[in-house]
Amino acid sequence: MELRGQSAVVCGAGGFIGGHLVKSLQSNGVKVVRAVDVKPLDGWYQQTEGVENISLDLKDRENCEQAVKGVDLVYQLAADMGGMGFIENNKALCMLSVLTNTHMLQAAQKQGVKRFFYSSSACVYNGDKQTSEDVIPLKESDAYPAMPEDGYGWEKLFSERMCRHFEEDFGLVCRVARFHNVYGPNGTWNGGREKAPAAICRKVIEAKRSGKHEISIWGDGKQTRSFMYIDDCLKGTQMIMESDIDEPINLGSSELVTINQLVDMVEDIAGIKLKRSYDLSAPKGVNGRNSDNTMIMDKLGWMPSIPLRVGMEKTYRWIEEQVASGAIDK
């Protein structure tokens, strides 16, 4: 399906990925009619001119109908979520996002929406396949038999199934991408919901500014992850939405690093070396997770390609500006 010229709503537009997505869609000829987020407008990371920016709680079905009215495309990114520190300690809040996804699907089906995009997560994958730092990259079928991240992962997996059945039963065309650790500027960088790349950048910046050259790392630092820069996420999201792929598909980098290596990288960017301490009682998630990009290469001839070092440099510089200006994270 050609997206150019279609009208769209982006839900979760006050957040990190959603705010970038509004601008990216517009630059690619999609008419973003409406941008929606539960946060008050002054708490959004980005707002875009020429778009109806509105604050709505999408757990309410009537608000969902207002959000999708008169549009061809729905990008459903709205969710109560954050980094590992948040999702491990707020399982009920994460599960309640099922209300948003249920009501958004119902509203989209009722309003005759042409195509519905759902942002799922690598947290849907079976935990037994992520017990070693030397993880085998996760392919899409590894979500079953199901044993996802407790709370957040279960809600994401359930909502994937709802998308599947709304397509089968009601003909609502759904596209589902499993995001793997998206990072970049204009996102959460402190306050408890930030993810590892932003948290490490902030900690290194604070250590450098304070002169106390120490950093606390969650876990033993040996856990492995891949991280996808926001520009790759936006490109992949739009390609998947246009495609005929009606099953969940990985959208993530395959560049695997340990958390210790990520700290090394940020220290190099900052031009500093820090003494490390390891908080073994802190949430650290699974021991290893990486994206198998075979399917996206086979079906779309593309996969994320921005090197981690390049993306981390941009992210570090942006967070450095925020800290220097005394900004408070939204």
Side-chain angles (χ1 to χ4, degrees):
M1 177 185 183
E2 172 64 44
L3 299 185
R4 183 175 294 273
Q6 303 288 324
S7 60
V9 59
V10 175
C11 302
F16 164 48
I17 302 174
H20 282 285
L21 182 60
V22 172
K23 296 181 183 299
S24 179
L25 289 170
Q26 281 201 318
S27 69
N28 285 286
V30 177
K31 183 184 178 184
V32 181
V33 174
R34 200 169 294 121
V36 181
D37 201 283
V38 70
K39 294 188 290 292
L41 294 180
D42 61 4
W44 291 28
Y45 286 105
Q46 300 182 74
Q47 291 184 44
T48 304
E49 291 185 6
V51 174
E52 183 186 5
N53 299 295
I54 52 177
S55 177
L56 290 174
D57 185 349
L58 296 177
K59 291 192 292 294
D60 182 275
R61 185 171 175 178
E62 289 184 359
N63 287 343
C64 292
E65 293 190 10
Q66 180 183 342
V68 306
K69 190 171 183 179
V71 302
D72 302 312
L73 311 173
V74 170
Y75 291 85
Q76 167 37 17
L77 285 73
D80 207 344
M81 59 87 68
M84 192 53 59
F86 178 80
I87 67 175
E88 283 204 3
N89 293 303
N90 295 276
K91 294 184 175 70
L93 281 179
C94 290
M95 290 292 286
L96 284 171
S97 293
V98 75
L99 294 174
T100 299
N101 294 319
T102 302
H103 292 147
M104 283 298 299
L105 282 163
Q106 288 179 314
Q109 185 252 327
K110 180 179 178 180
Q111 296 288 339
V113 165
K114 293 179 183 177
R115 196 161 283 216
F116 187 101
F117 177 87
Y118 176 59
S119 61
S120 187
S121 166
C123 289
V124 302
Y125 284 113
N126 188 312
D128 281 348
K129 296 182 180 292
Q130 303 171 78
T131 57
S132 170
E133 294 89 356
D134 300 319
V135 65
I136 297 171
L138 295 159
K139 57 184 183 294
E140 285 76 4
S141 59
D142 287 334
Y144 298 94
M147 195 173 74
E149 185 84 39
D150 201 10
Y152 179 74
W154 275 108
E155 191 281 323
K156 287 291 188 184
L157 192 62
F158 177 80
S159 294
E160 285 188 6
R161 304 293 293 192
M162 278 205 300
C163 288
R164 171 179 170 175
H165 298 310
F166 265 75
E167 179 159 340
E168 292 172 344
D169 294 357
F170 304 121
L172 174 62
V173 178
C174 293
R175 297 291 175 260
V176 176
R178 291 175 179 161
F179 289 173
H180 287 246
N181 295 317
V182 186
Y183 74 99
N186 289 294
T188 305
W189 53 275
N190 70 3
R193 290 183 184 244
E194 70 275 18
K195 296 186 178 181
I200 291 169
C201 285
R202 188 200 74 246
K203 288 179 179 181
V204 171
I205 291 162
E206 290 173 345
K208 186 175 181 179
R209 286 170 62 90
S210 71
K212 187 178 179 181
H213 291 180
E214 300 176 1
I215 185 171
S216 175
I217 297 170
W218 287 8
D220 60 11
K222 297 176 183 177
Q223 61 268 42
T224 52
R225 294 290 186 278
S226 63
F227 300 96
M228 173 174 54
Y229 190 64
I230 182 63
D231 291 1
D232 275 333
C233 178
L234 300 173
K235 174 68 173 175
T237 292
Q238 291 173 68
M239 292 181 75
I240 291 166
M241 185 61 147
E242 287 182 328
S243 77
D244 59 1
I245 303 168
D246 58 2
E247 58 188 309
I249 185 169
N250 279 336
L251 183 53
S253 170
S254 57
E255 183 183 350
L256 190 70
V257 293
T258 67
I259 297 301
N260 277 328
Q261 287 171 333
L262 188 62
V263 175
D264 291 341
M265 189 177 290
V266 179
E267 286 179 336
D268 183 59
I269 292 167
I272 196 170
K273 290 297 289 184
L274 304 176
K275 180 183 177 181
R276 301 180 188 186
S277 62
Y278 295 91
D279 185 353
L280 302 182
S281 66
K284 70 163 195 169
V286 296
N287 287 326
R289 177 180 292 155
N290 196 10
S291 179
D292 184 320
N293 288 336
T294 303
M295 183 185 289
I296 199 167
M297 275 295 294
D298 286 350
K299 293 184 177 290
L300 298 178
W302 177 88
M303 66 177 185
S305 61
I306 296 171
L308 183 60
R309 181 63 170 72
V310 172
M312 287 301 294
E313 172 100 35
K314 294 178 180 179
T315 305
Y316 180 90
R317 298 303 173 200
W318 180 81
I319 295 175
E320 190 176 40
E321 289 175 5
Q322 304 309 301
V323 174
S325 69
I328 298 173
D329 195 7
K330 299 178 180 182

